[in-house]
Amino acid sequence: MFRTLASGSEKIEIYLDGKPVPVPAGISVAAAMLQLGALPTRLTPVKRSPRAPFCMMGVCFECLIEIDGLANQPACQVEVQSGMRVRRQCGAGELAS
Amino acid sequence: MRCRGIGIVKQTCQLVVIGAGPAGMAAAQTAAEHGVDVTLFDDQAQPGGQIYRNVDTSPLADTSLLGKDYVFGQPLVQAFRHAELDYYACTSVWYLDKAREIGILKQGVSHKISAQRVIVASGAQERPMPVPNWQLPGVMTAGAGQILLKSAAMVPDNGVVLAGNGPLMLLLAWQYLRAGVNIHAILDTTPKGNLFRALRYLPRALAAGNDLWKGLRMMLSIATARVPYYHCVSELRAEGDNQLQAVSFSAAGRHHRIDTDLLLLHQGVIPGLHSLQEAGCKIDWNEAQQCWQTKVDAWGETSLSGIFVAGDGAAIGGAVAASLSGQLTGLQVAHQLGFLDAGRRDHLARPIIKARDRQLAIRPFLDALYRVADAGMIPPDDTVVCRCEEVSAREIRDVIALGCIGPNQAKAFTRCGMGLCQGRFCAATVEQIFAQQRGESMADVGHTSARPPLKPITLGQLAETI
Ligand code: FES
């Protein structure tokens, strides 16, 4: 769906649903998911319908994802970090305390 | 710079500015220059807002690809980085009240602070464009497409369909063409008659400067690129099961279907008012811009004394006007706090007001030209209106038929607007459906209320604050 124009950019490794994948450093988790084509990024709690990032600016909350064990993080507002564990949520996600 | 991205936040601040877009940066800098102690909170990792996002940290080898108006932001962001003020990035504001108590969330920790003056510069968001299946992966906003380009140098790789109207959609098309992106089609939903109705504002727009010419040049280069361009598009639908596969629509009496895995929607921007509404500022309906806006005085002060709004959060005027209105607001705060006498304030304000009015002169033309048809805001029954709680237009019409008295009661009946986005992508639609079904004006229907927390916050974080 998306490709990058910044070909030579530095890569780091994150874990997506447990599997290591290389992604460009400095971009948001949501951008990385779109570049990887890892869609949908979640299933909704209400009807389990597939969703993906929509606004990319922290307004719509469609991009919610589990990051390093914390559920419901807005993926478009969080930058990828080396070793980050990203997990797609099916349904309500774990309720963060 | 006293840029303390991390570290302790003062409990009591002289001036808190919310947002580091053009308005927030300008307001903060102006106030700081006159001696005000300024603390600025911004959601994003870098200053610049959405418009100047990553302008000095771009992953693009050549930012001129995005056009001169974007590069214009570079010195503004640079100057902000050197200003004498406290700037907290990645910090969201989840609470604001009329006593100017503010709740912020920074690195997972919530803090409560108070301020003598608050300037809200939270900018604009895209107007919801509810079409059937717009919740499918593969449908995004044009703004999202532009953010991906600015912040991650990402462009569509299997082509894209752009649908809707407004300057941002055309700008994105122009930028994509320069980046070599294949645009399957542009579906312009501008209703017939808009151009004619806009003509009476044209002389003023022409006299105001070169923005109009820039727009025309952009349209010309889109035309010469031979992108399929459909006018007066209606009955737009996204199609697909688990992911977008095609877009269907009507134009010139014919039905069309275009295969695509990416559809970007846009029909203008509206002020981001959540924190202002929640604090209790008076809000008015702006019929020309088809949106709610904060009631403010000449300096941007709202109905709540000491709370100001600058930039597109007050009324849509674009980045340059936002920056100028930020300066005016900054001057007034400096004056109210005793750093600047009235004479000096007025002297400094005069050229700024002149420049801002010049910037705003094109607006009535743009507002009339890109006025959204009712059909663009009022979707058919099978459309999901509230994406978070998955409430359809039919369900909203059903509760209205049952006698539901307004958008706020519809929330309780359907949970529409009670999800995590808190109505940011459905309130406008629900209000429009009410207005149409009941034959009332938007001012009569009233606006949907906003409640804290403005951003998701866990109970644990909330408990720490109290
Ligand atoms: S994509 Fe809208 S909040 Fe992240």
Side-chain angles (χ1 to χ4, degrees):
Chain A
M1 189 180 284
F2 285 97
R3 66 186 158 94
T4 177
L5 298 172
S7 45
S9 60
E10 184 201 339
K11 290 262 161 106
I12 56 169
E13 203 168 67
I14 63 167
Y15 293 87
L16 174 59
D17 297 328
K19 285 195 208 72
V21 283
V23 296
I27 68 174
S28 69
V29 175
M33 301 283 289
L34 289 164
Q35 210 175 112
L36 292 166
L39 303 181
T41 51
R42 70 174 179 125
L43 300 180
T44 60
V46 186
K47 292 180 185 158
R48 298 202 150 238
S49 48
R51 295 292 171 88
F54 179 70
C55 75
M56 293 300 293
M57 56 181 278
V59 180
C60 75
F61 297 96
E62 288 289 14
C63 62
L64 297 182
I65 207 157
E66 185 188 301
I67 297 176
D68 289 334
L70 238 94
N72 295 329
Q73 302 301 302
C76 69
Q77 301 296 93
V78 181
E79 196 178 302
V80 286
Q81 303 292 340
S82 175
M84 186 178 253
R85 286 168 296 121
V86 174
R87 210 171 267 284
R88 289 185 267 184
Q89 298 179 187
C90 298
E94 307 288 322
L95 273 186
S97 59
Chain B
M1 174 179 209
R2 293 150 36 191
C3 175
R4 307 189 202 129
I6 37 180
I8 313 298
V9 186
K10 278 196 269 323
Q11 292 251 299
T12 46
C13 301
Q14 226 167 31
L15 168 63
V16 163
V17 179
I18 303 169
M25 290 193 300
Q29 271 171 276
T30 305
E33 273 160 23
H34 290 96
V36 179
D37 192 18
V38 181
T39 308
L40 185 142
F41 301 118
D42 188 47
D43 275 342
Q44 310 290 335
Q46 302 291 340
Q50 303 306 339
I51 192 88
Y52 301 136
R53 202 170 168 127
N54 293 81
V55 73
D56 62 347
T57 54
S58 174
L60 281 166
D62 180 12
T63 47
S64 69
L65 180 78
L66 295 171
K68 287 204 184 91
D69 287 350
Y70 177 64
V71 182
F72 178 83
Q74 225 160 42
L76 301 182
V77 170
Q78 285 294 331
F80 175 75
R81 288 188 192 278
H82 292 104
E84 277 293 307
L85 50 91
D86 292 332
Y87 159 57
Y88 295 90
C90 301
T91 304
S92 49
V93 171
W94 62 267
Y95 177 81
L96 171 68
D97 69 18
K98 61 176 191 289
R100 297 181 299 281
E101 301 270 306
I102 302 161
I104 61 164
L105 194 59
K106 183 166 81 69
Q107 296 181 311
V109 183
S110 169
H111 308 261
K112 202 159 193 174
I113 53 179
S114 66
Q116 291 175 38
R117 295 290 182 279
V118 177
I119 298 177
V120 178
S122 42
Q125 68 159 77
E126 285 176 276
R127 182 194 303 280
M129 185 168 165
V131 298
N133 299 318
W134 65 317
Q135 74 278 16
L136 280 177
V139 184
M140 300 175 81
T141 66
Q146 210 185 37
I147 288 168
L148 284 166
L149 183 53
K150 289 174 183 170
S151 67
M154 280 163 63
V155 291
D157 65 350
N158 304 320
V160 57
V161 172
L162 298 175
N165 73 9
L168 178 66
M169 188 179 82
L170 292 174
L171 174 63
L172 183 64
W174 181 79
Q175 291 168 332
Y176 274 170
L177 288 173
R178 282 164 68 98
V181 172
N182 173 28
I183 302 178
H184 298 310
I186 297 176
L187 314 182
D188 191 329
T189 56
T190 307
K192 236 201 192 112
N194 272 22
L195 181 60
F196 180 71
R197 280 186 290 272
L199 283 180
R200 68 191 184 103
Y201 304 109
L202 188 61
R204 217 172 117 198
L206 280 171
N210 60 5
D211 276 358
L212 204 64
W213 298 113
K214 265 190 279 184
L216 282 172
R217 272 200 299 274
M218 231 171 249
M219 285 163 89
L220 200 67
S221 64
I222 293 169
T224 49
R226 301 189 182 282
V227 178
Y229 198 109
Y230 296 85
H231 292 274
C232 298
V233 165
S234 64
E235 295 172 60
L236 183 69
R237 292 183 76 91
E239 292 181 4
D241 292 327
N242 289 317
Q243 197 151 338
L244 180 75
Q245 281 155 354
V247 179
S248 67
F249 58 96
S250 296
R254 286 183 52 194
H255 192 72
H256 301 263
R257 190 172 192 274
I258 298 174
D259 287 339
T260 182
D261 71 357
L262 184 64
L263 165 66
L264 299 179
L265 300 171
H266 182 77
Q267 54 182 0
V269 295
I270 56 176
L273 296 178
H274 255 64
S275 54
L276 296 152
Q277 275 180 292
E278 181 247 339
C281 298
K282 280 215 176 71
I283 308 285
D284 283 335
W285 178 252
N286 179 331
E287 183 54 33
Q289 296 198 331
Q290 300 172 284
C291 60
W292 297 102
Q293 65 181 37
T294 324
K295 197 178 161 76
V296 290
D297 71 7
W299 301 99
E301 190 162 12
T302 67
S303 60
L304 300 176
S305 79
I307 298 184
F308 293 74
V309 51
D312 277 356
I316 303 300
V320 178
S323 178
L324 295 163
S325 84
Q327 290 178 31
L328 291 176
T329 310
L331 286 179
Q332 174 69 346
V333 167
H335 166 66
Q336 287 187 354
L337 294 175
F339 292 95
L340 198 61
D341 64 46
R344 181 102 186 103
R345 174 201 65 188
D346 293 345
H347 174 74
L348 292 170
R350 221 163 287 133
I352 305 172
I353 293 172
K354 213 168 143 200
R356 183 204 53 188
D357 291 348
R358 201 177 154 80
Q359 278 297 318
L360 292 179
I362 194 177
R363 280 292 136 186
F365 177 73
L366 292 180
D367 293 341
L369 183 62
Y370 293 121
R371 187 172 177 84
V372 180
D374 281 355
M377 295 183 288
I378 303 178
D381 273 351
D382 63 345
T383 312
V384 167
V385 167
C386 169
R387 301 169 58 103
C388 302
E389 296 292 325
E390 301 186 65
V391 182
S392 69
R394 177 181 299 117
E395 286 167 79
I396 303 297
R397 293 195 175 100
D398 285 350
V399 297
I400 297 173
L402 285 172
C404 177
I405 54 167
N408 289 311
Q409 201 185 44
K411 272 190 183 181
F413 283 8
T414 63
R415 289 200 54 78
C416 184
M418 292 176 78
L420 279 173
C421 98
Q422 300 208 315
R424 287 173 175 89
F425 271 100
C426 69
T429 313
V430 173
E431 291 154 6
Q432 293 282 356
I433 296 178
F434 263 92
Q436 188 193 46
Q437 295 288 108
R438 298 164 66 111
E440 289 175 357
S441 70
M442 286 293 280
D444 287 338
V445 169
H447 63 83
T448 316
S449 57
R451 301 251 176 278
L454 296 161
K455 291 279 161 90
I457 175 171
T458 65
L459 287 176
Q461 289 162 342
L462 197 61
E464 285 161 19
T465 328
I466 299 166

